Amino acid sequence: MPPRRRRQPRSPNHAALGEAIRRLRQEQGVSQEELAERADTDLSQVGGIERGTRNPSYTTLLRLAAALDTTVGAITSLADEIS
């Protein structure tokens, strides 16, 4: 079986969104596993979003924001700053 190829982010905007979520999560000392549990989503989904390889739905963004005790607007504003 060939080695797994690391996927590139879907776009610079997806990468910035993922980095914003990662920063907020790490600032709170929350693991990806805990964030996934709090947001009622799969761990692979959180990892993919943070890497920028997954395109989260609005519902998923709302769940992640609630799990991080913030808003979708705050997340996207941070993503705009990052990009």
Side-chain angles (χ1 to χ4, degrees):
M1 182 187 247
R4 247 176 114 176
R5 200 169 50 114
R6 186 166 184 101
R7 290 184 52 194
Q8 296 296 315
R10 295 173 72 95
S11 72
N13 291 329
H14 284 86
L17 178 65
E19 179 61 26
I21 292 169
R22 177 181 287 120
R23 285 185 190 179
L24 292 168
R25 175 180 61 76
Q26 289 177 336
E27 284 174 6
Q28 295 181 23
V30 175
S31 68
Q32 284 185 340
E33 292 87 355
E34 186 176 348
L35 179 58
E37 187 176 313
R38 287 183 188 180
D40 192 29
T41 192
D42 192 74
L43 173 60
S44 65
Q45 174 85 337
V46 172
I49 292 167
E50 287 190 359
R51 287 188 305 278
T53 59
R54 288 210 168 185
N55 188 25
S57 69
Y58 185 62
T59 300
T60 299
L61 284 175
L62 287 170
R63 288 179 180 170
L64 290 169
L68 292 167
D69 196 30
T70 191
T71 64
V72 172
I75 294 171
T76 58
S77 290
L78 180 56
D80 286 345
E81 290 175 26
I82 292 167
S83 65

